[in-house]
Amino acid sequence: MGFDEHCVWPGFEAEDKRLHEDSKYWAPVLQTNGERREYGKEAFGPDLVANFVVDWIARQAKAARPWLLFWPMLLCHKPFTRTPAASGKGKSPAEMRHMAEYMDKLVGRALAAVDDAGARERTVVIFTDDQGWADIGTQGAVGFETPHLDRLAAEGTRFTDFYAAQPVCSASRTALLTGCYPNRLGIHGAIGPRNTHGINDEETTLAEVCKSRGYATAMFGKWHLGMALRKCA
């Protein structure tokens, strides 16, 4: 799909109950450059993915190439993801607030890495999951703060009339990566653990276009475009 490196959360791993009994955060199983790895019941998936993001940005600081980093987050997905600050199972408004705050914290880590690398001219696409219009401070969030996302809005350009092709996980990712209506590609909503279809290898993605122009490319996060990642590079 055009990515030099990837670390993906392929799906919900719903069939493997062994992973989730007594799991605090829905024990993540990540696929890193084709290698499947379990991280344990106490690991918080978004933290693990952010580690890959920060490490990759730091490594690119020594390269003269332009780069594209695609970071599709699991946050603020409800009710599947808790955070270390949440007390319940991710279903209450208070826990949704914790998700937004934690999302902002992880964005802050990436921004610091970009600043340290002197890479503000590079491209990082942060694709948040199930985030509402008013779930960040600059959009009027009440009861919590998102200073890092607010900084992006203050120092950059805000697009306030932006339309997504669909409001759900798989279909919206398909549209972003291919520039096509997801229905035309056979992805109409959220792909489930038992589904066998996904984004076709023959589709041209944003990463492939950038790679053809000499960009280094990477994708770290919630893939959700087919449970089996057949072809990434």
Side-chain angles (χ1 to χ4, degrees):
M1 290 296 171
F3 297 109
D4 299 326
E5 295 185 36
H6 70 272
C7 173
V8 303
W9 203 333
F12 300 126
E13 303 283 342
E15 304 305 313
D16 195 344
K17 294 182 180 180
R18 170 183 59 87
L19 294 171
H20 307 301
E21 292 177 355
D22 302 321
S23 174
K24 193 172 183 181
Y25 302 119
W26 197 282
V29 177
L30 303 183
Q31 186 168 287
T32 307
N33 297 326
E35 180 181 350
R36 185 180 185 275
R37 181 178 175 186
E38 297 176 15
Y39 283 84
K41 296 180 179 181
E42 295 300 311
F44 185 48
D47 278 335
L48 297 174
V49 172
N51 292 342
F52 280 94
V53 168
V54 170
D55 174 71
W56 192 82
I57 291 173
R59 285 189 282 117
Q60 300 314 304
K62 300 178 182 179
R65 301 170 65 187
W67 49 260
L68 169 72
L69 171 60
F70 178 45
W71 184 13
M73 286 188 166
L74 186 61
L75 299 171
C76 299
H77 204 298
K78 174 178 178 284
F80 299 115
T81 301
R82 296 172 58 195
T83 75
S87 58
K89 295 183 178 180
K91 294 183 179 180
S92 74
E95 285 153 0
M96 195 68 182
R97 181 198 73 194
H98 292 316
M99 291 181 191
E101 290 177 330
Y102 213 89
M103 172 183 68
D104 182 76
K105 173 185 174 181
L106 297 182
V107 169
R109 289 186 59 193
L111 288 177
V114 167
D115 285 340
D116 290 344
R120 287 199 173 196
E121 304 82 11
R122 304 302 189 251
T123 306
V124 182
V125 178
I126 303 171
F127 196 74
T128 60
D129 219 2
D130 291 3
Q131 179 190 323
W133 173 261
D135 285 344
I136 60 175
T138 191
Q139 297 297 111
V142 176
F144 61 93
E145 297 179 351
T146 56
H148 303 295
L149 289 164
D150 294 349
R151 173 192 158 191
L152 281 177
E155 297 180 3
T157 301
R158 295 175 62 213
F159 297 92
T160 58
D161 295 279
F162 184 88
Y163 294 90
Q166 280 206 28
V168 294
C169 311
S170 303
S172 57
R173 283 165 170 72
T174 299
L176 177 67
L177 285 178
T178 66
C180 298
Y181 287 114
N183 288 39
R184 188 182 74 78
L185 304 187
I187 299 179
H188 306 141
I191 297 173
R194 293 187 178 90
N195 292 135
T196 57
H197 70 293
I199 189 171
N200 194 289
D201 290 339
E202 301 304 316
E203 294 298 331
T204 300
T205 68
L206 175 63
E208 288 173 310
V209 172
C210 289
K211 193 171 180 177
S212 71
R213 304 294 178 90
Y215 280 61
T217 59
M219 179 272 177
F220 305 117
K222 182 187 171 188
W223 178 242
H224 211 173
L225 289 172
M227 298 302 110
L229 192 61
R230 299 180 299 276
K231 181 181 177 182
C232 192

